[in-house]
Amino acid sequence: MIYLKRKIDDFLKEWRCSTDRKPLVVRGPRQVGKTESIRKFGSEYYEHVIEINFVEEPKYKMIAADGYKTADLIKNISRIDPSKQFEEGKTLIFFDELQEFPEIATALKFFYQDGRFDVICSGSMLGIHYNRIESNSVGYKIDYEMYSLDFEEFLWAKGYDASFVKDMLDHMVHLVPFNEVELSVCSGLFLDFCILGGMPAVVREYIVKGTFEGSLSIQRQLLADYEEDVRKYADGMDQTRILNVFRQIPLQLAKDNKKFQISKVAPGARFKDYRGCIEWLSDAGMIHVCYCMNYPELPLKGNFDETKYKIYFADSGLLVAMLDEEAQEDLRANRNLGVYKGALYENIVGEALVKNGYGLYYYKREDSTLEEDFFVRTAKDLIPLEVKAANGRAKSLRTLINSDKYEDIHYGIKLTGGNIGYENQIYTFPYFCAFLLKRYLKSI
């Protein structure tokens, strides 16, 4: 099976080189490649990898019977499986599916103080159990958030190296339009990525076969697995509500007004009954919530209305898999990304922003047509970001930049299907540059 190079690979190497190495907790939704990346790292850098999967081998939940001190845990692991070798300084202990036994996080403090072995924990539903994990190990671990592949990792999978990405960034920094060949190649690759999404199983199938054959069935199986997780990990009463919200997202993104309306989810549905369901899906890493700002100014945190939001899928490929048959056909056969009134474009850009460490915020003024899709920030500036399905005029963007009311806004960014450009304090970039926005803003 081919290994897909991931950004966590470099992070794990840096973590191993750290002199004050705390146990590592890798968080992220199911099947984004956490276990595969940790196993590869372990096999390359350690003589012994002790992997314990609390789902596949629940008997290991008994290892804390004598307490959480390192010596007691190792003694009990060895009793269950005498073949496991613990050699000081050469052993990685990998606790997988931590959500099945979050109490083991209590041991991280003792592993850190003991210092003889490196420890990595991982699991697909850690966000839901995070308070328990955090309270059991506060100050004695570091966290890494893992997502499905972003466009850069997809380019690596296709055989493109760092110089290809550097060249894209240089175009942005120097405002040099892409030539016809560059634009065609990058746009084609990005369109493939939009249809596939970044789930490793889907991307790997596409790389091996060179076609989209089988991708939809894998995506639909992943969706079924996600729904199974809801039934397994959510409390009884909330299961139906959570699934109702999840299934409603594509329908609500298809509207001109993409604000998520709880009242449309079920008859008589109210925000207070469903608030926890949206938090659950977000904690599980299945969705990203984009909140409406009270006013477009810094700071962003705390400056939003928690009752007004849009919901995007954490992986755009899963949104594609939930589209109706006609939209599927239009997208895959005709390569028309404009299906669902630009919802796909917005979802892809929102996903790219989150994978770059940004929170998601939008703005809509109640007393006018002024509306902006996203905002990002630098140390001094608030930057409105508009996603245009067609390369049209950006009226709201111009209003935000030109009005004296918005003191933190001095320029804006527009993402389109066109080329690089600059006019009236608006920087225009192709959609496929979205993953580079953070690097671009740092470089200027």
Side-chain angles (χ1 to χ4, degrees), residues 272-317:
K272 70 181 182 70
D273 297 328
Y274 276 81
R275 179 179 182 171
C277 303
I278 291 153
E279 284 178 6
W280 194 97
L281 287 166
S282 178
D283 288 343
M286 294 158 71
I287 63 167
H288 299 315
V289 183
C290 180
Y291 288 102
C292 184
M293 296 170 69
N294 295 318
Y295 193 77
E297 64 183 1
L298 295 173
L300 290 169
K301 284 189 176 170
N303 175 26
F304 61 86
D305 184 341
E306 62 181 15
T307 67
K308 293 178 188 168
Y309 48 85
K310 302 176 190 177
I311 299 178
Y312 298 110
F313 278 88
D315 186 86
S316 297

Side-chain angles (χ1 to χ4, degrees), residues 3-216:
Y3 178 75
L4 300 174
K5 180 187 170 191
R6 304 299 302 276
K7 291 183 176 176
I8 194 176
D9 298 346
D10 287 336
F11 176 86
L12 290 170
K13 290 173 197 169
E14 288 170 16
W15 172 75
R16 190 172 187 276
C17 292
S18 167
T19 50
D20 183 33
R21 196 159 50 252
K22 293 180 179 178
L24 173 64
V25 177
V26 179
R27 301 167 58 184
R30 66 145 59 232
Q31 297 186 33
V32 295
K34 299 182 296 297
T35 300
E36 188 182 1
S37 294
I38 295 164
R39 275 181 186 157
K40 184 170 188 294
F41 164 71
S43 68
E44 289 179 355
Y45 290 94
Y46 296 86
E47 288 190 25
H48 313 287
V49 179
I50 311 297
E51 181 176 339
I52 292 172
N53 183 308
F54 291 116
V55 168
E56 293 175 5
E57 300 173 293
K59 62 190 176 188
Y60 280 101
K61 292 180 186 177
M62 298 186 294
I63 60 175
D66 301 318
Y68 291 96
K69 289 195 172 170
T70 302
D72 293 328
L73 291 173
I74 287 169
K75 185 171 63 180
N76 283 327
I77 291 169
S78 299
R79 278 178 180 152
I80 294 170
D81 182 356
S83 71
K84 291 192 186 325
Q85 292 184 310
F86 295 87
E87 192 175 349
E88 188 174 330
K90 297 180 180 180
T91 302
L92 173 68
I93 300 171
F94 173 26
F95 293 117
D96 203 4
E97 302 294 1
L98 188 65
Q99 75 278 358
E100 288 293 318
F101 189 42
E103 289 74 21
I104 197 65
T106 305
L108 300 185
K109 171 183 177 181
F110 300 108
F111 275 115
Y112 175 63
Q113 291 172 338
D114 182 279
R116 288 178 293 158
F117 311 105
D118 290 348
V119 179
I120 300 180
C121 301
S122 180
S124 56
M125 289 283 160
L126 297 194
I128 291 158
H129 298 278
Y130 195 69
N131 288 340
R132 282 162 72 191
I133 293 165
E134 177 72 10
S135 62
N136 289 341
S137 58
V138 65
Y140 295 99
K141 63 167 178 55
I142 56 172
D143 294 291
Y144 183 90
E145 192 83 28
M146 193 169 177
Y147 304 99
S148 62
L149 284 83
D150 67 5
F151 186 47
E152 185 169 16
E153 291 170 316
F154 179 77
L155 290 173
W156 295 344
K158 288 286 288 179
Y160 294 92
D161 61 14
S163 64
F164 187 82
V165 173
K166 183 183 180 300
D167 188 54
M168 291 171 72
L169 182 59
D170 286 344
H171 275 281
M172 295 172 73
V173 171
H174 301 295
L175 293 176
V176 177
F178 294 95
N179 68 35
E180 201 174 322
V181 173
E182 291 168 330
L183 196 63
S184 173
V185 168
C186 291
S187 299
L189 287 163
F190 188 68
L191 189 55
D192 287 354
F193 174 67
C194 294
I195 293 168
L196 293 161
M199 300 302 274
V202 180
V203 175
R204 189 177 288 111
E205 185 85 354
Y206 162 79
I207 296 296
V208 170
K209 290 186 174 174
T211 69
F212 293 122
E213 181 194 345
S215 61
L216 183 58

Side-chain angles (χ1 to χ4, degrees), residues 182-421:
E182 291 168 330
L183 196 63
S184 173
V185 168
C186 291
S187 299
L189 287 163
F190 188 68
L191 189 55
D192 287 354
F193 174 67
C194 294
I195 293 168
L196 293 161
M199 300 302 274
V202 180
V203 175
R204 189 177 288 111
E205 185 85 354
Y206 162 79
I207 296 296
V208 170
K209 290 186 174 174
T211 69
F212 293 122
E213 181 194 345
S215 61
L216 183 58
S217 61
I218 297 173
Q219 288 169 330
R220 286 183 170 161
Q221 182 56 53
L222 287 166
L223 285 168
D225 291 344
Y226 272 33
E227 294 205 357
E228 185 58 36
D229 278 345
V230 175
R231 294 187 185 94
K232 183 175 181 182
Y233 293 107
D235 295 331
M237 181 60 192
D238 282 338
Q239 288 178 15
T240 304
R241 288 176 179 164
I242 291 169
L243 289 172
N244 284 346
V245 169
F246 189 65
R247 292 166 184 164
Q248 184 75 203
I249 297 168
L251 300 173
Q252 300 227 14
L253 283 176
K255 301 178 304 182
D256 287 320
N257 172 18
K258 295 178 175 62
K259 186 181 111 178
F260 196 85
Q261 294 174 285
I262 289 293
S263 58
K264 298 276 197 295
V265 172
R270 295 172 300 176
F271 172 73
K272 70 181 182 70
D273 297 328
Y274 276 81
R275 179 179 182 171
C277 303
I278 291 153
E279 284 178 6
W280 194 97
L281 287 166
S282 178
D283 288 343
M286 294 158 71
I287 63 167
H288 299 315
V289 183
C290 180
Y291 288 102
C292 184
M293 296 170 69
N294 295 318
Y295 193 77
E297 64 183 1
L298 295 173
L300 290 169
K301 284 189 176 170
N303 175 26
F304 61 86
D305 184 341
E306 62 181 15
T307 67
K308 293 178 188 168
Y309 48 85
K310 302 176 190 177
I311 299 178
Y312 298 110
F313 278 88
D315 186 86
S316 297
L318 300 184
L319 169 60
V320 168
M322 288 182 80
L323 302 181
D324 55 54
E325 296 297 331
E326 291 75 21
Q328 285 280 349
E329 178 69 22
D330 197 15
L331 184 61
R332 290 169 189 272
N334 305 322
R335 297 173 79 76
N336 172 24
L337 219 65
V339 293
Y340 271 52
K341 297 182 178 163
L344 203 46
Y345 289 113
E346 274 190 43
N347 202 102
I348 287 156
V349 172
E351 182 185 338
L353 293 177
V354 170
K355 287 175 178 177
N356 267 281
Y358 289 114
L360 297 185
Y361 303 94
Y362 77 103
Y363 180 64
K364 177 161 176 50
R365 251 180 76 169
E366 295 296 335
D367 59 349
S368 78
T369 57
L370 181 67
E371 182 169 10
E372 201 51 76
D373 299 321
F374 299 106
F375 288 84
V376 294
R377 65 162 300 174
T378 62
K380 299 181 198 165
D381 295 313
L382 180 64
I383 304 149
L385 182 61
E386 189 146 323
V387 183
K388 300 294 283 187
N391 196 4
R393 295 163 69 81
K395 186 181 170 190
S396 291
L397 200 50
R398 290 201 313 276
T399 302
L400 288 166
I401 295 164
N402 296 332
S403 173
D404 295 335
K405 294 179 187 173
Y406 311 111
E407 294 179 2
D408 295 326
I409 297 172
H410 304 106
Y411 61 95
I413 293 172
K414 184 169 69 168
L415 294 170
T416 74
N419 212 324
I420 289 175

